[in-house]
Amino acid sequence: MYTPSFEYILPVIRGIQAGREYYVSMCPVRLLPKLFPLEEQENPPEMRATRTLNRQRVPEITKYIVHHPKNYIFSAITASIDADITFEPMGTEAEGRKIGRLRVPMDGRFIINDGQHRRAALEMALKENPELGYETIALILFLDIGLERSQQIFADLNRYPVHPDPSLNILYDCRDKYAKIVREVVKQVAVFRSLTECDRSTLPTRSSKLFTLNSIYNANLALLANHRDGEWESAIAIAAHFWNTVSSNIPDWQQVLSKKVSASEMRRDYIHSHPTALTALGATGATLLTLYPDNWENYLAGLAQIDWSRFNVDWEGKVLSKSGISQSRSSVNFMTAYIKQRLNLPLAADE
């Protein structure tokens, strides 16, 4: 039997999936570029076993690693091995036969089925922080029995991807400064605290909520556009005060809060809790805070005089269409200008 002179020896755990062997190993980050060299030549899709590398995504992932060296986290890289491999178990007992060493010839080929952007980002991050080279990332290794099998592995791995809902991401994200701000603001604004859906960004017809965490987050970004460099405690105080003042000038929100009207009825007949309206209110607030830092609250009294009904003809073709309420940038700009006019505020040139 031919024995290669040079080979990789990987400590692995052997498993069985769909009747086939696969292996799990911990790979030092510094070895990733050697095991998984990037393809220099662009092959046609039918000759590849994965998507092409989107190099625009790599710097963003690299930034995440470099900026969070103590708490970044990655899932395993899934790859196929195109080589005659040998597994040597460490023992003869049932558990011992699952743990051992995988011998892979150095002329064997490792093909990433899932995780090529993580691999590229880690290589880039190594150049900025060589200490990362001593850390490890999990590898899940399948035996490659041809291009068709590798392509099927890629298709199966990506068959049912589900990205977390934006609202849930905001709820759980402890790194994003504005996610932390909006969570605190929601706690300090009564209508938000009781009427905000945090699990999802689309409200079911019968939902008892008026707002989603994602829509409040975007509205807060618009509100704090000119306060990006301030302390986050100050930003929370400004935003909470603003939204409490807004809610006191939109009686309909108070009606839902006191359970005099259901949230579903309010969403059906009015647009003031819709993401487009919230973002426009936030953008209006940014103008107020800049122009009238000492008495901006007085101007918000005009919100009570706006006809927020879906039947207001002013929305037709601008905010409302046959498909519903538009969330386009032009609709947000229109509504921002509309609210400013009703509050007797100056319009920007593009408004």
Side-chain angles (χ1 to χ4, degrees):
M1 183 177 68
Y2 168 72
T3 302
S5 301
F6 301 98
E7 58 189 2
Y8 297 108
I9 301 178
L10 307 176
V12 297
I13 300 173
R14 179 173 61 174
I16 302 293
Q17 193 173 98
R20 298 175 182 270
E21 289 188 357
Y22 73 99
Y23 305 90
V24 179
S25 183
M26 299 299 128
C27 179
V29 170
R30 66 183 181 278
L31 297 184
L32 284 176
K34 295 180 181 179
L35 286 179
F36 305 105
L38 293 176
E39 296 285 348
E40 296 296 333
Q41 183 177 358
E42 186 71 20
N43 293 319
E46 63 273 14
M47 297 304 295
R48 298 195 308 262
T50 186
R51 61 170 67 92
T52 57
L53 183 70
N54 183 349
R55 296 185 181 276
Q56 293 181 340
R57 287 183 56 195
V58 176
E60 182 180 357
I61 304 173
T62 302
K63 182 180 178 181
Y64 161 71
I65 302 168
V66 173
H67 287 191
H68 305 96
K70 299 299 183 182
N71 54 13
Y72 76 93
I73 186 169
F74 278 145
S75 57
I77 290 175
T78 303
S80 304
I81 305 175
D82 183 8
D84 292 324
I85 59 96
T86 301
F87 174 71
E88 297 178 347
M90 297 295 290
T92 57
E93 300 298 324
E95 295 303 316
R97 291 198 301 269
K98 297 177 183 177
I99 303 172
R101 296 181 299 183
L102 192 67
R103 294 181 175 272
V104 183
M106 281 196 173
D107 59 0
R109 187 181 180 204
F110 291 81
I111 303 170
I112 293 181
N113 302 113
D114 181 64
Q116 59 178 339
H117 292 92
R118 276 165 272 159
R119 172 253 175 269
L122 283 165
E123 181 180 9
M124 186 178 291
L126 271 174
K127 297 175 183 178
E128 297 190 43
N129 182 4
E131 291 298 315
L132 289 170
Y134 297 97
E135 299 188 357
T136 58
I137 187 168
L139 297 182
I140 299 176
L141 303 170
F142 292 91
L143 299 183
D144 182 9
I145 54 175
L147 178 63
E148 181 177 344
R149 172 62 180 163
S150 290
Q151 290 175 336
Q152 188 62 57
I153 289 174
F154 173 82
D156 288 345
L157 287 171
N158 292 277
R159 187 176 299 276
Y160 304 111
V162 177
H163 294 289
D165 189 278
S167 284
L168 199 59
N169 265 343
I170 294 166
L171 183 66
Y172 292 160
D173 195 341
C174 296
R175 293 195 179 101
D176 184 349
K177 171 184 175 181
Y178 294 99
K180 291 194 289 187
I181 288 173
V182 77
R183 290 196 297 268
E184 289 300 317
V185 170
V186 167
K187 292 177 184 177
Q188 296 182 29
V189 179
V191 291
F192 289 167
R193 187 168 61 247
S194 300
L195 301 174
T196 298
E197 172 61 66
C198 295
D199 273 345
R200 45 195 166 187
S201 300
T202 302
L203 294 174
T205 302
R206 297 184 180 277
S207 174
S208 62
K209 307 297 184 181
L210 269 184
F211 318 99
T212 66
L213 191 59
N214 184 50
S215 64
I216 299 173
Y217 175 89
N218 291 327
N220 246 20
L221 285 181
L223 172 66
L224 300 173
N226 301 322
H227 293 77
R228 297 288 173 90
D229 299 326
E231 293 293 328
W232 80 294
E233 291 87 353
S234 174
I236 291 170
I238 291 171
H241 184 28
F242 174 79
W243 291 113
N244 273 316
T245 307
V246 168
S247 67
S248 67
N249 286 287
I250 301 182
D252 291 337
W253 291 1
Q254 304 301 322
Q255 293 273 347
V256 178
L257 185 62
S258 61
K259 301 187 183 302
K260 294 179 180 178
V261 181
S262 71
S264 58
E265 288 179 291
M266 194 61 70
R267 294 196 314 274
R268 182 194 64 199
D269 297 334
Y270 297 89
I271 69 170
H272 40 41
S273 63
H274 190 273
T276 298
L278 287 180
T279 301
L281 285 166
T284 300
T287 299
L288 277 172
L289 293 171
T290 300
L291 296 180
Y292 310 106
D294 299 323
N295 63 336
W296 56 265
E297 299 95 335
N298 299 334
Y299 288 84
L300 290 177
L303 293 177
Q305 306 306 315
I306 294 177
D307 179 5
W308 297 101
S309 167
R310 284 177 181 255
F311 305 104
N312 183 349
V313 295
D314 292 344
W315 310 136
E316 292 294 334
K318 301 293 185 180
V319 177
L320 283 178
S321 64
K322 292 182 179 179
S323 58
I325 302 175
S326 169
Q327 296 188 52
S328 68
R329 171 51 54 185
S330 61
S331 294
V332 172
N333 288 342
F334 170 81
M335 180 156 277
T336 302
Y338 186 92
I339 295 172
K340 285 183 177 181
Q341 281 186 320
R342 294 301 183 274
L343 302 186
N344 296 315
L345 298 177
L347 301 182
D350 60 346
E351 296 172 337

